[in-house]
Amino acid sequence: MDLKPTGMLFLYAALWALLALKGAVAQDAIPHVDECALCFHCSVDATPAPVLDSDLVVENFQPKNVNQKQKLPMCQQCRGCTTHLQLLGHSGQKKLFHTWFRDEAGASPSWLFVAPTNKTAARKAVVKVACIPVGKHARDKHAVCHADTALKYARIYLAIEKIAEECGFTDIIPKIWVDWVHAVIPEVGYHIRWLGLWMEMVEGISLENLVRLGNPMMHPTDLLDILHNQVNHTQTVHAAIFDLLTSQNDRHAQNLFINGDGSIRLIDNERAFYENRLLAADSLLLPSTKKYTINVMENAWIHKFANWGDKVPQSWANVALLFDYRCYVQGGVLGKNWPPQVSQCLAHISSLDPPAVQRHYGLPAPHMAEALWNRSKAMQEHGFEYALTQGYPRNPNPWRYKLTPPCCRIKHTDTYRCAHEWQPDTAIPYGDPITGGPWRHARPDPGSYEGGSVF
């Protein structure tokens, strides 16, 4: 929020006192909103205390008393604000690749803000704050507070940050840290005074919006030129290594950003390290996973929707297939040809045991450390392709798809299609593609092989 001179603060205080004398009171329609409804701006900067590991406890990710209304007497506590927040939304526009796109803010039960920081080159950060007891819109009920979940994902993000630094992924992973938030929400007046997750603001636009949005819509020829010739394909290979190493299971086209210089960034990386004990990897960057295979053939076929009927599935070529690492490594096989820093990192993680891995990276659960340790050993000892198809952790069989041959050039005719000979097998595995469990529907299972048995 904009910085206001101290005199304005006294003006607000005087106005509030005058309203109080007339019997005016703050509205109670929204729970937990401060009485200090007019004090929207911070006026004093201070240096917050550094966050210690001992601060990473559930209590510090929520208001001190989440069940009672918090009050600020006569706005005086607003002077202690140290963070100037702006709401992160879709209102702005930016020009990228000569096409206009909206700024993006993903759907989240937490509040997202933009705040100044001296920890990034752009001096801006996106701040995610959980447990704010106010709805994002006046008509909305505020979300239930899950401070334990906020702590869990904060620890996962801090582990991601440490791996990025140690393994050489800082060019593709935004900087992430946990820090105190001490500020008033613009236009709401609620005073935040607990820990938030701070992330470097990523420039560019998601692959999803690059393909589907724009005013005017980007011409297919221009889009294909960007993806074939301008995207940094060395980073594409590194991104696939990162997603496999950290067991990313939510890498869809909205979580891969492309900047105007062709560089890429991976965002929303918290669904990692086998955290839900179900998905070992699911990424458009990793062949044999569902999010990759959806780009090969119809989504309705992959998900076995009931209205599919007797149609023969057609192989098409979503442009996301141009992020297949096999197109950019010699012979289409990565093997053990790791970048030097990745090789050193894999050797280090493999030399530890799971408890030591958990301590080193601060992972919130032992099974996450076991997943990272097992993945590192498989990658170091057997190479990328073995770790992807045979290593642990593994996806359930309904989510282990046949390896599709890479499509490294795409053309646009009636739709996007592979520009070279390309005949992927459209068979899909037995089982429920939604839950990852066995098929329990009354209609026949259109699957035809046991997932993972054909590698």
Side-chain angles (χ1 to χ4, degrees):
M1 69 190 95
D2 295 332
L3 187 65
K4 293 293 184 182
T6 304
M8 290 299 293
L9 180 62
F10 291 119
L11 178 61
Y12 284 139
L15 179 59
W16 179 254
L18 179 62
L19 291 174
L21 288 174
K22 293 183 177 181
V25 295
Q27 292 183 351
D28 286 335
I30 303 176
H32 305 282
V33 175
D34 291 322
E35 297 283 349
C36 184
L38 293 176
C39 190
F40 294 162
H41 301 280
C42 304
S43 60
V44 179
D45 277 328
T47 302
V51 176
L52 306 175
D53 189 66
S54 58
D55 293 322
L56 298 180
V57 293
V58 170
E59 290 75 13
N60 287 337
F61 284 84
Q62 62 184 1
K64 295 302 180 182
N65 189 340
V66 76
N67 294 317
Q68 295 182 7
K69 177 188 290 187
Q70 297 184 349
K71 298 181 179 180
L72 297 179
M74 296 303 296
C75 298
Q76 296 305 306
Q77 291 189 37
C78 287
R79 294 188 180 190
C81 297
T82 59
T83 305
H84 308 295
L85 301 180
Q86 295 176 351
L87 295 173
L88 181 63
H90 297 270
S91 58
Q93 285 191 321
K94 61 179 67 176
K95 196 170 187 182
L96 179 71
F97 303 125
H98 310 293
T99 302
W100 287 100
F101 293 92
R102 294 177 299 170
D103 286 339
E104 301 181 57
S108 171
S110 302
W111 283 65
L112 295 174
F113 305 97
V114 177
T117 178
N118 59 6
K119 294 187 178 182
T120 67
R123 304 186 69 82
K124 287 184 178 181
V126 175
V127 186
K128 181 183 286 189
V129 186
C131 292
I132 295 178
V134 180
K136 291 184 181 181
H137 305 284
R139 64 183 181 276
D140 293 344
K141 183 179 179 181
H142 63 85
V144 176
C145 175
H146 295 291
D148 53 343
T149 302
L151 171 60
K152 169 187 169 181
Y153 285 122
R155 286 197 173 277
I156 289 175
Y157 264 120
L158 292 176
I160 291 288
E161 173 69 14
K162 193 165 188 177
I163 286 175
E165 293 174 353
E166 293 181 354
C167 301
F169 297 122
T170 54
D171 62 326
I172 59 173
I173 304 300
K175 183 176 179 60
I176 307 159
W177 66 100
V178 172
D179 209 343
W180 300 104
V181 180
H182 194 20
V184 176
I185 302 176
E187 303 178 17
V188 175
Y190 188 80
H191 196 165
I192 305 170
R193 288 165 284 194
W194 58 94
L195 289 175
L197 186 66
W198 294 64
M199 297 166 278
E200 176 185 358
M201 181 174 283
V202 174
E203 296 295 330
I205 187 170
S206 72
L207 175 61
E208 173 79 14
N209 280 5
L210 182 64
V211 175
R212 302 189 186 281
L213 294 185
N215 183 21
M217 284 287 293
M218 184 173 291
H219 193 279
T221 300
D222 297 328
L223 175 62
L224 290 174
D225 176 64
I226 291 167
L227 299 183
H228 281 136
N229 304 316
Q230 298 183 41
V231 167
N232 186 324
H233 296 309
T234 298
Q235 287 186 324
T236 297
V237 177
H238 293 175
I241 296 172
F242 171 83
D243 272 8
L244 182 61
L245 174 62
T246 57
S247 300
Q248 290 294 319
N249 67 40
D250 196 31
R251 183 72 63 224
H252 48 74
Q254 293 178 358
N255 289 341
L256 189 156
F257 267 59
I258 306 172
N259 203 354
D261 62 1
S263 61
I264 67 174
R265 290 291 189 96
L266 306 180
I267 68 166
D268 288 355
N269 299 304
E270 71 269 19
R271 302 302 305 276
F273 305 119
Y274 202 45
E275 54 93 16
N276 61 6
R277 298 179 183 265
L278 181 64
L279 264 169
D282 197 12
S283 167
L284 65 85
L285 299 164
L286 298 178
S288 78
T289 69
K290 184 168 73 170
K291 284 185 172 61
Y292 176 97
T293 309
I294 284 174
N295 293 308
V296 176
M297 53 192 102
E298 285 87 348
N299 179 68
W301 172 245
I302 292 295
H303 282 104
K304 302 181 180 179
F305 290 160
N307 61 356
W308 177 259
D310 297 327
K311 293 181 288 185
V312 176
Q314 297 294 314
S315 295
W316 58 310
N318 189 307
V319 295
L321 292 176
L322 294 176
F323 288 88
D324 189 331
Y325 79 94
R326 295 174 295 176
C327 297
Y328 313 112
V329 295
Q330 187 173 4
V333 177
L334 181 54
K336 299 181 184 179
N337 295 317
W338 311 114
Q341 198 168 347
V342 171
S343 182
Q344 296 171 9
C345 184
L346 293 177
H348 174 251
I349 298 173
S350 300
S351 69
L352 305 174
D353 58 18
V357 170
Q358 184 177 5
R359 290 192 298 271
H360 182 72
Y361 291 107
L363 288 164
H367 76 272
M368 298 183 195
E370 292 171 4
L372 178 58
W373 182 76
N374 276 314
R375 184 76 81 214
S376 300
K377 283 185 67 68
M379 293 172 73
Q380 184 196 36
E381 295 175 2
H382 302 287
F384 186 93
E385 285 73 21
Y386 176 92
L388 175 64
T389 59
Q390 304 297 325
Y392 290 93
R394 288 182 183 172
N395 285 335
N397 286 347
W399 290 334
R400 302 185 73 203
Y401 294 82
K402 290 184 177 182
L403 281 167
T404 299
C407 175
C408 299
R409 299 293 298 181
I410 290 177
K411 61 184 178 182
H412 187 271
T413 54
D414 57 323
T415 186
Y416 291 103
R417 299 195 181 276
C418 201
H420 55 76
E421 183 66 22
W422 188 63
Q423 294 182 333
D425 190 337
T426 58
I428 49 179
Y430 296 119
D432 192 323
I434 307 298
T435 67
W439 185 257
R440 301 187 187 281
H441 303 277
R443 62 186 188 278
D445 185 348
S448 60
Y449 67 92
E450 191 73 17
S453 63
V454 294
F455 296 142

